[in-house]
């Protein structure tokens, strides 16, 4: 019999009950809650006269709607304000811990979970947000759910699931200088497509993954959903354990020793088999830039906008044609000649301390180009912001002409006041370049933090390796 | 939840691949704390020429005549014909809420994104996967014949074309049972309360740190 995959180990540890057809009632260890996808779930709970089964397993934070400018006056938009106040009221009523907008621990839900040690190896982690795949970086089984399932987890602490197929994405070799986890993520999506991971849980492995920091692994797992996979994961190793140790909600003392003993088993066995294996050579990955309206529409900084006539199918030809029209780009244009008007460094993909260090190392001693109307840096949490300020990163950004903001989801999805105007082109470290994602008519190009900072200073995309 | 048994519905063809949930219901409408009323803003940025914000009266807005949902021949459609990877992106259940509120009861595509597919079943919408070549043919039939309808039978797991062609589809037996009967998942899960309790008691010993909570 072959060995077990990491997915199988995590799955088996959480099985409560199995129906004859294989549908499984899976136990959920951690439930992350934010203001956008929870109000209707709490309302459903209330209407049915139910209460959360384990309020202690949930943690809440407002992130999508919060302003990234001065917060002392609260939220100006009354609709956004009501949504955040509804979260506050629901958490107070049901005894759920919430990091409110004025708490220094407030931030993007997928940044604060790991930062506080609320996300731990071996856990099942869910949240009403597709980027919950992020937490798989810790050797956890984590995935996004809809609001009905948010209500279901609140009421039962379980979810009905069927096991996913398994995919191993193996990245061997060494990444070149200036090439980051974001570039690996985009290169993988370019390779397998935005639906390539549909129905799969992806495990990222290989030498290049092992050398990534936890921040890098989170960036990679965060983007698993952009490849269609609900869950992405990386095996536990010493890097994982070192990151978790001493975090506020991490176990201590004897419980720590007991936990680490189990966590050290959380990797796929050497003889485990996967339903699909994809291999990439890290040394061949170059800085990536998307050119279209889906993350799979990606090329390298030295690439050109493709010609729809070269598309592999009729459906794709139409997609590419529509994408170029929306993006205002002509086929054949070198990406390095595409100028940007806005730059956004932030989001659950790239707003952690390492991301800000990479961006600051490029911005240091440079100035934001005159054609760039706004370049903003939005830290992932209040604690990331504090850490960055202690390291002087805020000064580097401000002196270069970037705006230094308060933490939140911000212009990744533009639910607050931060957004693109119609036709504006943006270099963004976020995860989705869909039509209208950053504001109606806005044109998004996904890049790494270093590439975004370089684009801000050059005024157009540029190869950060030679900048 | 509304039960789904048999549907004989007008079909509207949305000929785009990778339709994401941001397109199905844009972010500004996600600020609502209600579950109903998203239908007028389904595909808002494609469906209207002006920019939509919550609270606007859709009757006063400028519909985009080039968008398929606005073609008079497709008014009242309840079956959406779509392309690959429909519903990708954000997990927002507001997407199936908007489709349901608009009147869509079934969606036919060669493939769906996982989270969206799952969310449909929680809201009385049946997502049907058919082979890409079959879907391609349905697109051609639908676009060339006015008043094109499809009959969907969940119990028999078939889609029947106006020409009498019967197309079989797969659906998970558990999901089918719940959708046919409009059953509430939570009620069913609570029947397993003893097993959930037993699991928790075992895990408290094996992994006590998982029960020290978020309230240290």
């Amino acid at each position: 019999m072959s060995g077990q995959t990491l997915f199988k180990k995590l799955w088996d540890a959480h099985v409560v009950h199995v129906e004859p057809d294989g549908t499984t009632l899976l136990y959920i260890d951690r439930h992350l809650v934010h203001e956008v996808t929870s109000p209707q779930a709490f309302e459903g709970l209330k209407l049915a006269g139910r209460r959360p089964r384990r309020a202690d397993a949930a943690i809440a934070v407002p992130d999508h709607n919060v302003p990234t400018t001065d917060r002392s006056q609260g939220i100006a938009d009354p609709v956004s304000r009501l949504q955040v106040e509804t979260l506050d009221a629901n958490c107070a009523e049901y005894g759920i811990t919430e990091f409110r907008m004025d708490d220094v621990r407030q931030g993007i839900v997928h940044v604060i979970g790991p930062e506080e040690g609320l996300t731990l190896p071996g856990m099942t982690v869910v949240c009403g947000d597709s980027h919950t795949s992020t937490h798989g970086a810790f050797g956890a089984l984590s995935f996004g759910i809809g609001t009905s399932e948010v209500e279901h987890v609140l009421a039962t602490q379980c979810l009905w699931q069927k096991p996913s197929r398994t995919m191993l994405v193996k990245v061997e070799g060494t990444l070149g200088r200036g090439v980051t986890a974001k570039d690996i993520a985009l290169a993988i999506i370019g390779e397998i497509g935005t639906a390539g991971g549909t129905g799969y849980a992806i495990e990222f492995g290989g030498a290049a993954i092992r050398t990534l920091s936890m921040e890098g692994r989170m960036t990679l797992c965060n983007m698993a959903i952009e490849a269609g996979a609900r869950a992405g994961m990386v095996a536990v190793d010493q890097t994982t354990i070192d990151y978790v140790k001493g975090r506020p909600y991490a176990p201590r003392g004897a419980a720590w020793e007991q936990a680490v003993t189990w966590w050290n088993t959380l990797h796929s066995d050497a003889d485990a088999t996967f339903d699909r294996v994809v291999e990439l050579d890290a040394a061949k990955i170059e800085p990536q830039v998307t050119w279209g309206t889906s993350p799979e529409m990606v090329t390298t900084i030295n690439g050109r906008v493709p010609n729809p006539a070269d598309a592999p199918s009729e459906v794709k030809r139409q997609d590419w044609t529509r994408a170029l029209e929306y993006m205002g780009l002509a086929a054949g244009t070198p990406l390095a000649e595409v100028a940007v008007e806005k730059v956004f460094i932030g989001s659950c993909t790239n707003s952690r301390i390492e991301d800000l260090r990479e961006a600051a190392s490029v911005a240091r001693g440079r100035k934001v180009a005159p054609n760039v109307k706004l370049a903003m840096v939005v830290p992932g949490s209040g604690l990331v912001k504090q850490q960055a300020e202690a390291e002087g990163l805020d000064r580097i950004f401000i002196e270069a002409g970037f705006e230094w903001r308060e933490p939140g989801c911000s212009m990744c999805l533009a639910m607050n006041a931060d957004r693109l105007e119609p036709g504006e082109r943006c270099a963004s470290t976020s995860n989705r370049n869909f039509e209208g994602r950053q504001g109606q008519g806005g044109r998004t190009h996904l890049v790494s933090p270093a590439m975004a900072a370089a684009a801000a200073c050059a005024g157009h995309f540029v190869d950060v390796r030679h900048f | 939840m509304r039960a789904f048994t048999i549907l004989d519905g007008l079909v509207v063809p949305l000929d785009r691949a990778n339709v994401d949930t941001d397109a199905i219901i844009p972010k500004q409408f996600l600020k609502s704390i209600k579950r109903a009323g998203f239908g007028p803003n389904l595909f808002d940025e494609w469906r209207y020429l002006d920019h939509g914000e919550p609270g606007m009266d859709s009757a006063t807005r400028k519909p985009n005549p080039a968008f398929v949902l606005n073609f008079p021949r497709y008014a009242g459609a309840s079956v959406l014909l779509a392309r690959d990877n429909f519903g990708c992106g954000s997990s927002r259940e507001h997407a199936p809420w908007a489709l349901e509120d608009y009147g869509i009861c079934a969606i036919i595509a060669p493939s769906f994104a996982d989270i969206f597919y799952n969310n449909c079943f929680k809201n009385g919408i049946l997502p049907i996967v058919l082979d890409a070549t079959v879907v391609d043919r349905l697109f051609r039939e639908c676009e060339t014949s006015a008043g094109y309808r499809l009959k969907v039978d969940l119990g028999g797991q078939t889609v029947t074309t106006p020409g009498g062609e019967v197309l079989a589809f797969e659906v998970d037996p558990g999901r089918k049972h719940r959708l046919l009967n409009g059953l509430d998942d939570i009620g069913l899960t609570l029947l397993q309360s003893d097993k959930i309790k037993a699991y928790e008691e075992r895990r408290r010993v094996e992994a006590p740190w998982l029960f020290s909570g978020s309230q240290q």
Side-chain angles (χ1 to χ4, degrees):
Chain A
M1 197 183 121
S2 66
Q4 289 189 321
T5 60
L6 170 58
F7 174 80
K8 180 86 166 82
K9 291 179 184 181
L10 294 169
W11 179 273
D12 287 351
H14 292 90
V15 173
V16 171
H17 166 78
V18 187
E19 289 282 307
D21 73 346
T23 306
T24 301
L25 194 60
L26 207 64
Y27 196 79
I28 303 303
D29 295 317
R30 180 66 72 213
H31 187 189
L32 306 167
V33 178
H34 66 82
E35 80 276 22
V36 180
T37 56
S38 67
Q40 298 87 349
F42 282 112
E43 188 190 30
L45 209 62
K46 206 168 299 182
L47 289 173
R50 294 175 176 135
R51 294 193 62 82
R53 182 179 178 86
R54 278 189 59 199
D56 69 298
I59 184 90
V61 68
D63 56 4
H64 286 61
N65 278 279
V66 299
T68 58
T69 48
D70 177 29
R71 291 175 177 181
S72 57
Q73 305 303 311
I75 303 174
D77 175 0
V79 191
S80 285
R81 187 169 65 232
L82 176 63
Q83 197 165 55
V84 172
E85 286 170 354
T86 303
L87 179 69
D88 295 348
N90 283 324
C91 290
E93 180 175 353
Y94 293 115
I96 292 171
T97 302
E98 182 193 5
F99 298 157
R100 290 196 178 192
M101 204 168 74
D102 57 358
D103 190 316
V104 71
R105 297 169 298 178
Q106 182 271 339
I108 305 173
V109 68
H110 307 308
V111 174
I112 67 148
E115 185 172 81
E116 289 294 316
L118 289 158
T119 300
L120 294 171
M123 276 183 164
T124 40
V125 180
V126 297
C127 175
D129 191 286
S130 60
H131 290 110
T132 309
S133 57
T134 308
H135 308 266
F138 289 81
L141 177 58
S142 64
F143 48 88
I145 56 178
T147 298
S148 294
E149 289 188 320
V150 170
E151 183 183 340
H152 193 279
V153 174
L154 285 169
T156 70
Q157 207 54 43
C158 294
L159 279 178
W160 291 103
Q161 295 287 306
K162 277 221 167 160
S164 309
R165 286 173 287 171
T166 55
M167 183 190 298
L168 175 65
V169 175
K170 215 170 161 183
V171 190
E172 297 291 1
T174 309
L175 279 181
R177 193 181 56 86
V179 183
T180 68
K182 181 64 163 287
D183 301 302
I184 302 179
L186 288 169
I188 291 167
I189 296 163
E191 176 84 17
I192 69 174
T194 48
T198 303
Y200 289 94
I202 298 181
E203 179 177 344
F204 299 98
I209 307 302
R210 296 262 67 87
T211 57
L212 287 178
S213 65
M214 287 315 297
E215 285 85 351
R217 294 176 190 185
M218 283 188 257
T219 299
L220 194 56
C221 290
N222 173 279
M223 296 284 285
I225 185 65
E226 307 317 328
R230 287 178 77 184
M233 61 192 80
V234 174
V236 173
D237 61 12
Q238 199 55 43
T239 305
T240 324
I241 289 168
D242 290 346
Y243 180 98
V244 172
K245 196 173 170 72
R247 301 262 160 195
Y249 291 92
R252 294 171 198 284
W256 171 260
E257 298 304 327
Q258 192 184 356
V260 169
T261 303
W262 183 47
W263 295 347
N264 278 324
T265 67
L266 297 177
H267 50 79
S268 291
D269 296 329
D271 56 346
T273 54
F274 292 81
D275 297 308
R276 187 177 171 194
V277 177
V278 174
E279 296 187 48
L280 270 84
D281 179 358
K284 288 187 181 153
I285 300 175
E286 295 184 86
Q288 307 279 307
V289 185
T290 63
W291 52 265
T293 53
S294 163
E296 71 182 18
M297 296 176 177
V298 64
T299 183
T300 71
I301 181 61
N302 297 311
R304 289 168 185 268
V305 175
N307 190 332
D310 301 332
S313 69
E314 176 57 22
V315 171
K316 283 230 185 293
R317 190 189 62 75
Q318 288 178 22
D319 276 359
W320 290 13
T321 304
R322 200 180 289 122
L324 293 195
E325 189 183 326
Y326 180 86
M327 294 296 289
L329 290 171
T333 308
L335 265 296
E337 286 177 12
V338 175
V340 298
E341 290 147 302
K342 283 190 176 167
V343 174
F344 172 60
I345 297 174
S347 87
C348 59
T349 311
N350 280 131
S351 63
R352 298 179 183 84
I353 190 68
E354 184 185 274
D355 302 315
L356 303 191
R357 287 179 190 142
E358 280 171 9
S361 74
V362 174
R364 187 191 304 272
R366 291 193 165 102
K367 293 283 179 206
V368 169
N371 62 305
V372 175
K373 286 190 268 187
L374 172 71
M376 62 195 291
V377 184
V378 184
S381 71
L383 292 172
V384 168
K385 180 167 186 263
Q386 220 169 48
Q387 172 73 25
E389 289 172 354
E391 295 179 17
L393 305 184
D394 59 323
R395 297 310 318 162
I396 295 173
F397 286 123
I398 291 166
E399 279 162 22
F402 288 82
E403 292 194 12
W404 179 246
R405 298 287 189 94
E406 298 296 323
C409 300
S410 181
M411 208 160 69
C412 172
L413 86 166
M415 267 190 85
N416 69 352
D418 309 331
R419 67 188 62 166
L420 298 181
E421 296 303 321
E424 278 184 342
R425 190 178 300 283
C426 179
S428 177
T429 67
S430 56
N431 39 58
R432 291 188 174 134
N433 49 352
F434 299 158
E435 283 184 27
R437 171 78 179 183
Q438 295 193 289
Q440 189 168 16
R443 295 163 170 168
T444 303
H445 296 264
L446 304 175
V447 287
S448 72
M451 285 287 288
C457 298
H460 56 86
F461 292 107
V462 62
D463 191 339
V464 70
R465 296 172 299 180
H466 312 298
F467 186 56
Chain B
M1 186 182 76
R2 182 183 69 185
F4 186 111
T5 50
I6 290 178
L7 167 73
D8 182 355
L10 184 71
V11 183
V12 57
L14 182 62
D15 197 0
R16 292 185 180 213
N18 299 314
V19 171
D20 59 75
T21 53
D22 274 81
I24 296 172
I25 183 82
K27 82 277 297 181
Q28 61 269 36
F29 304 106
L30 272 51
K31 295 178 185 179
S32 167
I33 57 171
K34 299 287 174 213
R35 200 181 259 262
F38 294 99
N41 303 110
L42 175 70
F43 298 116
D44 199 274
E45 291 184 6
W46 294 342
R47 200 163 138 205
Y48 301 98
L49 294 170
D50 55 346
H51 176 74
E53 282 295 331
M56 284 169 79
D57 177 3
S58 57
T60 64
R61 297 184 56 194
K62 280 185 283 183
N64 174 7
F67 184 58
V68 72
L69 252 66
N70 292 328
F71 294 4
R73 64 185 279 198
Y74 298 125
S78 57
V79 178
L80 182 68
L81 191 58
R83 294 287 187 185
D84 262 315
N85 202 26
F86 187 83
C88 61
S90 157
S91 64
R92 60 188 69 168
E93 199 162 318
H94 312 67
W97 293 340
L99 287 157
E100 193 261 355
D101 196 52
Y102 178 85
I104 299 296
C105 302
I107 308 169
I108 299 173
S111 63
F112 292 89
D114 287 341
I115 302 177
F116 175 82
Y117 183 79
N118 193 36
N119 283 340
C120 281
F121 285 97
K122 315 286 183 195
N123 293 284
I125 297 175
L126 177 62
I128 299 169
V129 177
L130 291 179
D131 192 75
T133 54
V134 174
V135 171
D136 213 36
R137 186 151 45 79
L138 296 182
F139 263 99
R140 283 200 304 274
E141 289 179 13
C142 180
E143 283 159 355
T144 53
S145 49
Y148 187 82
R149 301 176 77 86
L150 288 171
K151 190 173 171 190
V152 179
D153 177 357
L154 175 56
Q157 295 183 211
T158 56
V159 175
T160 307
T161 69
E165 188 187 5
V166 179
L167 305 160
F169 63 88
E170 295 293 318
V171 60
D172 176 82
R175 283 175 165 148
K176 176 178 169 179
H177 175 71
R178 290 196 283 271
L179 193 52
L180 275 173
N181 297 286
L183 295 176
D184 165 21
D185 270 3
I186 296 176
L188 289 175
T189 307
L190 290 174
L191 297 176
Q192 306 294 336
S193 288
D194 289 350
K195 285 192 173 175
I196 300 173
K197 198 155 163 268
Y199 176 88
E200 285 175 336
E201 280 167 8
R202 179 164 63 80
R203 287 299 274 175
R204 264 179 211 284
V205 177
E206 287 174 357
W209 66 89
L210 295 173
F211 294 83
S212 56
S214 60
Q215 290 154 328
Q216 292 183 2

